[in-house]
Amino acid sequence: MTIFVKRYATPATLRAAQTHHAWLVGLNADVRLPRLLDRFSDGLAFEAMPGDIPGPVRMPIVAAAIGRLHTAAAPRLRDSRLDRPHDVGACELADFIHTRRHRLHDTARTHHIPITAVDRVLEAASTLPASLYKDSNLRNFLITDTDGVAIVDFDDLTLAPYGYDLAKLVVSMAMTHGPLDTNVIAMALDAYNSALGQVRCTPEDLAIWAELNWLLTTPYTGRNGYHQHWPSLRPWPHPLTRRL
């Protein structure tokens, strides 16, 4: 069997990734997760999964998988709040607000976005139902021939609003491939909402979460495949400036 070994800088980050993987496996969501085969002092060995990184036209398929993962996680997050950590037994999921506020402030200043606009979004988000964030950049998914969508990389796991993971997928696709077809974005949002059931993410919320994701991703522009600049690709009016 072919294996893939992921190395970690510290024992703490290794333990976190292993715990996150085990918790996601325990959700029994209708998504493919690689098996953990072995653990070393500085790394985890997973089964290597054949497949291709999805391109923009595959966004609806990936969006549905994200929605299925969020639906499976919902019973475990019923009493959670986005402004405080949540203990799910196997691990503690970091909160959405405090883990991002300072980084959002730093990049907002760099891009001349008022801090007050960011804080208003975070304040509003604190009252929303909590879902899951698992770094849904396009490189953390594989399209396989036999299993559909596979999810890889388990370093980051936090609480987040519904739609935030989908927004990360949209932003990472645009920053990698350039302008996106708005019809495909709409299809992806529909696929995500269909997988959720009663909870929904609106187009307006998706635009706001995309902006936060861009602010957190922009320091990596020019690296990790992010060669495009989101402000020149944004398929909707700037949602933060509309809130001034």
Side-chain angles (χ1 to χ4, degrees), residues 58-70:
R58 298 294 191 98
M59 279 200 300
I61 298 173
V62 178
I66 297 171
R68 293 195 299 273
L69 185 68
H70 289 179

Side-chain angles (χ1 to χ4, degrees), residues 101 104 142 151 217:
R101 188 189 299 275
L104 287 169
L142 293 172
I151 295 176
T217 305

Side-chain angles (χ1 to χ4, degrees), residues 4-219:
F4 171 76
V5 177
K6 176 72 180 288
R7 302 292 179 182
Y8 296 89
T10 68
T13 55
L14 185 152
R15 287 193 300 271
Q18 182 177 8
T19 304
H20 294 164
H21 174 268
W23 188 73
L24 291 171
V25 169
L27 294 180
N28 295 313
D30 184 18
V31 295
R32 181 77 163 88
L33 297 166
R35 287 181 294 159
L36 177 61
L37 303 175
D38 204 353
R39 171 177 171 163
F40 311 107
S41 61
D42 64 344
L44 300 174
F46 296 96
E47 65 171 319
M49 304 186 64
D52 299 315
I53 295 172
V57 297
R58 298 294 191 98
M59 279 200 300
I61 298 173
V62 178
I66 297 171
R68 293 195 299 273
L69 185 68
H70 289 179
T71 295
R76 316 282 183 97
L77 305 178
R78 188 169 290 116
D79 298 323
S80 61
R81 290 173 50 100
L82 290 172
D83 57 356
R84 65 190 184 199
H86 183 66
D87 187 351
V88 292
C91 59
E92 183 178 80
L93 301 184
D95 77 287
F96 176 74
I97 307 296
H98 301 99
T99 56
R100 292 168 173 82
R101 188 189 299 275
H102 292 305
R103 288 182 294 150
L104 287 169
H105 284 183
D106 288 344
T107 51
R109 290 189 188 98
T110 300
H111 294 278
H112 309 292
I113 297 170
I115 300 302
T116 53
V118 174
D119 283 340
R120 286 171 190 163
V121 170
L122 293 178
E123 182 179 355
S126 67
T127 65
L128 297 176
S131 185
L132 189 66
Y133 171 76
K134 200 222 69 67
D135 189 9
S136 291
N137 84 72
L138 72 164
R139 295 164 190 84
N140 287 339
F141 298 94
L142 293 172
I143 305 296
T144 71
D145 291 336
T146 57
D147 298 305
V149 177
I151 295 176
V152 297
D153 193 291
F154 310 98
D155 296 358
D156 298 314
L157 204 62
T158 75
L159 298 173
Y162 281 95
Y164 188 81
D165 255 352
L166 177 59
K168 177 60 177 283
L169 177 68
V170 171
V171 170
S172 70
M173 283 284 184
M175 292 181 69
T176 301
H177 294 287
L180 301 176
D181 185 335
T182 55
N183 290 325
V184 175
I185 296 176
M187 290 169 60
L189 181 58
D190 286 344
Y192 175 75
N193 283 329
S194 294
L196 289 181
Q198 292 184 338
V199 182
R200 302 188 69 79
C201 173
T202 67
E204 294 75 19
D205 284 341
L206 182 67
I208 293 169
W209 306 145
E211 213 60 34
L212 297 192
N213 270 295
W214 167 65
L215 287 174
L216 296 172
T217 305
T218 189

